[in-house]
Amino acid sequence: MAAGCPRSGASHRTRRTIAALGAICLLLSACSSGPRSPVFGAVFGLENAETIPFRSGQVPEPAPQPGDRVLGLAANAPGQCIYLRANGRQRFIANCPEGYDV
């Protein structure tokens, strides 16, 4: 008798089936009329897909705002701290506040 869990093969087949269904849905949505997502132009080379022009520039440096919380020192950036935005969803690295010490 073979040793192993029969569920592992079943779950692998299930994941493969779900991935195949997702790919089919993606391709079928490309065939619909109307504007297409920029993804279709980039991935599949569809000529009538929406395009987004490239823009050069810089991402602004994050700066602490009122309500942001210091989580601790950044391991790979001396003098920098990791902050948590007041809404609790975004973390960023910026200079530590004056007098901050662990």
Side-chain angles (χ1 to χ4, degrees), residues 47-69:
E47 292 186 19
N48 60 347
E50 182 182 333
T51 59
I52 298 174
F54 175 78
R55 293 187 315 234
S56 62
Q58 288 186 318
V59 176
E61 290 290 324
Q65 299 172 350
D68 291 347
R69 195 171 56 132

Side-chain angles (χ1 to χ4, degrees), residues 27-95:
L27 289 174
L28 288 177
S29 66
C31 296
S32 66
S33 62
R36 293 188 173 91
S37 168
V39 172
F40 292 111
V43 175
F44 302 112
L46 298 179
E47 292 186 19
N48 60 347
E50 182 182 333
T51 59
I52 298 174
F54 175 78
R55 293 187 315 234
S56 62
Q58 288 186 318
V59 176
E61 290 290 324
Q65 299 172 350
D68 291 347
R69 195 171 56 132
V70 176
L71 296 178
L73 294 171
N76 294 330
Q80 303 275 302
C81 286
I82 299 174
Y83 288 83
L84 180 66
R85 283 277 182 224
N87 65 11
R89 293 184 176 210
Q90 182 184 18
R91 294 178 184 185
F92 64 95
I93 295 176
N95 288 333

